Amino acid sequence: MINYEMKYRAFQVRNFREIPQIEALSEEEKQNIEIVGNVFPFKVNNYVIDELIDWDDYLSDPIFRLTFPQKDMLSETDFETMKKALDENVDRKTLKTIADSIREKLNPHPAGQMELNVPKYQGEELHGVQHKYKQTLLFFPSSGQTCHSYCTFCFRWAQFVGMDGLKFAARETEQLLGYLTEHHEVTDLLFTGGDPMIMSFKVFKQYVEPFLDPNNGTNIQTIRIGTKVLGFWPYKFLTDKDAQDFLDLFKKITESGINLTFMAHFNHENELKTDAVKEAVRLIKQTGAQIRTQSPLIKNINDDADMWARMWRKQVNMGMIPYYMFVERDTGARHYFEVPLEKTWEIFQKAYQQVSGICRTVRGPSMSCTPGKVQILGVSEIPINGIFQKVFVLQMLQGRNPDWVNRPFYAKYDPNARWMDDLKPAFGDKFFFEDELEEFYETANYNEEFA
Ligand SMILES: *Cc1c(COP(=O)(O)O)cnc(C)c1O
């Protein structure tokens, strides 16, 4: 049933005890949420609470774990430090200092995002823009840098906790247009965040409208919207007051000849079960927009091959296109969420083998790391010095240098490897791209502020 009275309401660390269902939790469980929720961003809304989480079994519910901070996300020491601070009722400033010192240890800015990918326009750095791969520009509109609910595993978590200098902010659509006018290699503009679909219609329209003008001087052919709105707030397109305005604008975009694609973030099949999400998907598709889906593989939430196969099938049945499976990134509470690379590949393979070719548009598992998007093709055995040895076979789906893409390469087998920097070349002492990457570092427009 779709609740046509639905109005958005969010809960955060300061008021989550007002959530009616939270009464089912013990006082200790509530305190744990409070302790961890003071380090990592925490926000959850009424749709997630009322329609997605199964409160009869919340402890093993994937959407509960996806949105409510979990005790084991912090190490025992950090947990105790934060617990003590809260027990002692320290002032807000001290609390933030303590929280920041814990955050600093958790690699808040993975994969050189800050130093290496900020382009320049007319001598000035374009903050709020990342240009890593030739054809696609990431744009972080300043008013799209929050979400309807936060994911506990979020790799952009540091943006939401107010650490100094860490927030990308886009000031000017004008600057963006200027840059794109000079960079006709860019065909895709990817609005990301946060969640650009948190923006009101009035604001969103301002960013998009220039691209509807065929004489805007850019070569943008595809507008992508990286969003979790379908998983966390499908009522955006059903009951929010500007729902119809959004749908009308999407239609206007597709009718202008621009390919509009939602890069929809779904982590679990349970996010596809409600009438609200089904209706929102139907309405968006009706505008002529496409919906492609992506998610990382995350322990304690979706590390189950059969679930992935069902999820991809359901997405296809709803008219969506599976796109990427990612490896959980090397940031935040990674010890709680990460799955070793070999296991990740096994889950991908086992899921992939269960679905027809229509679902096999999905690619992965992929690591978004400094050189590019590195896909794990699998574990194989090849003779090294006459002896058969296990290796990881890898390739890049995207590369900082396009020439690196689609070249198979090999890493030593390591059952515990969890990320690119755990991998060693199987032959020689360097991966084929390392020298060039080194040069990149040296010439990059390195920003001291974020060092
Ligand atoms: C993933 C990603 C893109 C988009 O890559 P596609 O393979 O075209 O979907 C663009 N920029 C960055 C920095 C990315 O990580």
Side-chain angles (χ1 to χ4, degrees):
M1 227 191 56
I2 297 171
N3 174 3
Y4 281 102
E5 304 293 308
M6 196 71 157
K7 286 214 171 58
Y8 179 80
R9 182 163 183 218
F11 299 89
Q12 293 178 282
V13 75
R14 65 184 153 75
N15 67 346
F16 75 95
R17 286 168 187 263
E18 293 168 21
I19 299 171
Q21 290 91 333
I22 218 80
E23 275 176 33
L25 277 65
S26 70
E27 184 50 33
E28 190 187 338
E29 286 171 337
K30 288 181 219 172
Q31 276 173 16
N32 293 347
I33 291 175
E34 201 149 12
I35 292 161
V36 183
N38 265 290
V39 177
F40 294 107
F42 168 36
K43 177 161 85 180
V44 60
N45 72 55
N46 47 340
Y47 166 73
V48 176
I49 293 164
D50 293 341
E51 299 195 34
L52 294 186
I53 295 174
D54 173 7
W55 288 95
D56 291 334
D57 192 14
Y58 64 90
L59 284 177
S60 53
D61 186 87
I63 310 295
F64 179 75
R65 290 179 180 166
L66 173 63
T67 50
F68 283 82
Q70 304 292 310
K71 179 170 194 251
D72 294 337
M73 286 169 59
L74 284 179
S75 72
E76 231 168 277
T77 332
D78 291 340
F79 183 88
E80 286 308 321
T81 308
M82 205 60 200
K83 181 173 191 309
K84 188 157 162 282
L86 287 170
D87 286 347
E88 287 171 0
N89 232 332
V90 302
D91 61 74
R92 282 184 60 173
K93 206 171 149 231
T94 315
L95 196 66
K96 183 173 182 317
T97 311
I98 294 171
D100 278 349
S101 68
I102 296 174
R103 291 167 185 153
E104 281 301 341
K105 293 189 284 186
L106 301 172
N107 189 20
H109 267 284
Q113 283 187 60
M114 279 297 184
E115 314 91 82
L116 291 178
N117 305 326
V118 179
K120 274 192 172 172
Y121 175 61
Q122 295 183 340
E124 225 186 292
E125 285 182 356
L126 281 185
H127 288 291
V129 174
Q130 282 184 33
H131 193 185
K132 180 168 178 181
Y133 307 128
K134 218 171 166 180
Q135 298 85 357
T136 304
L137 195 89
L138 300 194
F139 179 49
F140 298 71
S142 55
S143 28
Q145 299 315 305
T146 179
C147 293
H148 290 97
S149 287
Y150 291 146
C151 300
T152 40
F153 67 82
C154 181
F155 79 94
R156 295 216 174 106
W157 61 278
Q159 287 181 54
F160 306 128
V161 292
M163 289 177 81
D164 292 341
L166 289 184
K167 190 162 169 162
F168 293 99
R171 267 172 244 125
E172 310 262 18
T173 307
E174 249 181 62
Q175 274 188 318
L176 175 69
L177 272 169
Y179 182 80
L180 290 172
T181 308
E182 290 180 2
H183 289 268
H184 278 200
E185 76 277 18
V186 182
T187 55
D188 291 32
L189 174 61
L190 203 171
F191 286 86
T192 184
D195 189 337
M197 284 294 106
I198 198 91
M199 286 191 258
S200 71
F201 176 71
K202 234 173 82 188
V203 177
F204 181 71
K205 187 174 80 156
Q206 285 187 336
Y207 286 115
V208 170
E209 253 182 350
F211 296 96
L212 291 173
D213 174 3
N215 300 316
N216 62 32
T218 75
N219 187 27
I220 294 302
Q221 299 162 26
T222 290
I223 293 179
R224 306 199 217 172
I225 302 174
T227 181
K228 179 106 187 129
V229 71
L230 290 166
F232 278 167
W233 187 247
Y235 288 98
K236 174 91 178 172
F237 308 108
L238 307 179
T239 58
D240 277 9
K241 66 177 182 338
D242 44 15
Q244 193 57 47
D245 293 331
F246 269 104
L247 295 169
D248 291 344
L249 178 62
F250 297 159
K251 191 146 185 275
K252 216 169 136 191
I253 296 171
T254 63
E255 283 177 353
S256 81
I258 285 182
N259 171 36
L260 177 64
T261 298
F262 276 69
M263 311 305 292
H265 185 178
F266 289 111
N267 304 111
H268 197 277
E269 61 176 331
N270 289 3
E271 293 170 80
L272 305 170
K273 72 182 180 186
T274 68
D275 289 335
V277 68
K278 289 176 190 155
E279 181 63 3
V281 166
R282 194 183 69 79
L283 291 171
I284 288 172
K285 290 200 24 100
Q286 231 174 33
T287 70
Q290 298 179 356
I291 307 174
R292 293 176 189 261
T293 63
Q294 57 189 20
S295 167
L297 174 68
I298 321 148
K299 190 169 73 188
N300 293 310
I301 292 179
N302 64 16
D303 52 341
D304 170 356
D306 298 345
M307 193 291 292
W308 278 87
R310 287 193 304 271
M311 179 167 76
W312 289 333
R313 252 184 257 124
K314 281 180 191 164
Q315 289 170 351
V316 165
N317 293 346
M318 290 165 77
M320 300 188 276
I321 307 165
Y323 190 62
Y324 272 136
M325 178 207 266
F326 294 115
V327 178
E328 164 64 10
R329 293 178 84 134
D330 55 339
T331 177
R334 67 181 293 197
H335 66 274
Y336 183 75
F337 295 116
E338 74 193 352
V339 180
L341 296 181
E342 182 181 28
K343 178 96 191 293
T344 300
W345 165 66
E346 281 169 0
I347 289 175
F348 179 88
Q349 189 194 30
K350 194 166 162 230
Y352 195 83
Q353 287 171 349
Q354 292 181 44
V355 295
S356 85
I358 290 289
C359 298
R360 290 187 185 167
T361 47
V362 68
R363 291 166 305 154
S366 164
M367 284 178 276
S368 298
C369 42
T370 311
K373 279 185 166 68
V374 175
Q375 180 186 20
I376 303 148
L377 288 171
V379 175
S380 187
E381 283 197 28
I382 52 174
I384 300 176
N385 304 327
I387 305 160
F388 273 90
Q389 295 182 27
K390 274 188 179 180
V391 290
F392 280 112
V393 187
L394 310 157
Q395 73 167 357
M396 281 190 216
L397 295 166
Q398 282 288 4
R400 192 174 286 287
N401 178 347
D403 198 44
W404 300 344
V405 174
N406 250 18
R407 293 172 185 265
F409 63 102
Y410 300 92
K412 288 203 170 90
Y413 174 71
D414 173 355
N416 301 316
R418 309 155 307 163
W419 192 251
M420 191 64 189
D421 56 9
D422 296 326
L423 295 178
K424 305 260 175 325
F427 306 105
D429 56 359
K430 278 182 183 173
F431 289 117
F432 76 91
F433 51 85
E434 279 189 68
D435 284 336
E436 273 182 85
L437 187 62
E438 197 78 13
E439 273 174 48
F440 244 107
Y441 264 117
E442 279 158 20
T443 56
N445 135 40
Y446 190 76
N447 188 332
E448 299 266 326
E449 187 188 340
F450 302 119

